[in-house]
Amino acid sequence: AQSVAQPEDQVNVAEGNPLTVKCTYSVSGNPYLFWYVQYPNRGLQFLLKYITGDNLVKGSYGFEAEFNKSQTSFHLKKPSALVSDSALYFCAVRLSITGTASKLTFGTGTRLQVTL
Amino acid sequence: NAGVTQTPKFQVLKTGQSMTLQCAQDMNHNSMYWYRQDPGMGLRLIYYSASEGTTDKGEVPNGYNVSRLNKREFSLRLESAAPSQTSVYFCASSPRGAQSNQPQHFGDGTRLSIL
């Protein structure tokens, strides 16, 4: 079985400050990890992924995430938050088996609120 | 450059009515998925289709059926709608095989209310 925990329902940060959205995962094997963002009344948009290799991955809109195998975490970060980053963020995990359907397990989401 | 298209965008049903949600993708992806999104619960997988001609149950399949009509289209049917099925439904697609580590692409959702 695989699972994802996003321990914070909401994260509040002032514009210009760094932000972190936390994610921990559980999977019986090597993981593929993903971050998605959802704006109001829209579908999920892909931000970044960890497949293998460098533990620090960079994605869209200046976001990055650090894979930490020992802590089973994949926290999303950005050095300087923008008001336009305010949205709902989802972490997702799947087993790293190629050739199969990409059955993802999603966390419950973290709402990011960036204020002036 | 449509990606994943879902119809309708909004729908209100009465308990016991039936309905089919449509999904089509133009990215030549092999795999397609149906999720429901409920407050505080994230996205939960209802059914998926690893490739044309196959479908499998996800986490919450009860009360739903699916049809993979062809490589592009994957529909979700509610045979007898219940208020517990009020939700936002998302369709997604992804490559398979050597590209299966690529992300899923999502439609904009169908907002379904059942009275």
Side-chain angles (χ1 to χ4, degrees), chain A residues 101, chain B residues 4 20-34 47-56 65-77 91-96:
Chain B
V4 178
T20 300
L21 280 60
Q22 306 287 354
C23 174
Q25 53 91 11
D26 62 3
M27 294 172 284
N28 201 35
H29 287 166
N30 292 100
S31 302
M32 298 185 73
Y33 314 82
W34 276 105
Y47 270 92
Y48 69 101
S49 171
S51 61
E52 187 179 354
T54 68
T55 61
D56 285 287
N65 285 300
V66 290
S67 295
R68 183 72 183 267
L69 305 171
N70 48 55
K71 190 173 185 179
R72 289 187 63 247
E73 299 173 287
F74 188 38
S75 63
L76 178 71
R77 183 162 178 83
C91 178
S93 70
S94 68
R96 205 187 164 199

Side-chain angles (χ1 to χ4, degrees), chain A residues 6 8 11 18-24 34-38 45-49 56-67 73-79 85 87-91 110 112:
Chain A
Q6 293 183 243
E8 302 154 316
V11 169
L19 69 88
T20 299
V21 182
K22 295 180 180 178
C23 170
T24 58
F34 301 84
W35 275 103
Y36 287 85
V37 59
Q38 185 181 31
Q45 296 178 27
F46 168 71
L47 275 180
L48 51 79
K49 66 179 180 180
L56 183 65
V57 293
K58 295 186 182 296
S60 306
Y61 312 120
F63 284 94
E64 58 189 28
E66 185 166 12
F67 172 65
S73 67
F74 189 56
H75 301 331
L76 182 69
K77 300 182 180 184
K78 188 174 182 181
D85 293 330
L88 188 57
Y89 291 81
F90 289 97
C91 182
T110 298
L112 175 65

Side-chain angles (χ1 to χ4, degrees), chain A residues 32 34 36 38 41-44 46 49 51 88 90 94 98-104 106-108, chain B residues 31 33 35 37 40-43 45 48 50 90 94 96-97 100-104 106-108 111:
Chain A
Y32 289 160
F34 301 84
Y36 287 85
Q38 185 181 31
N41 299 315
R42 300 299 303 274
L44 276 66
F46 168 71
K49 66 179 180 180
I51 302 300
L88 188 57
F90 289 97
R94 61 161 289 197
T98 59
T100 63
S102 176
K103 279 180 60 179
L104 290 174
F106 285 86
T108 53
Chain B
S31 302
Y33 314 82
Y35 294 90
Q37 182 180 20
M41 302 190 75
L43 275 77
L45 183 65
Y48 69 101
F90 287 100
S94 68
R96 205 187 164 199
S100 63
N101 61 7
Q102 296 304 306
Q104 293 183 14
F106 285 79
D108 281 339
R111 285 147 186 83

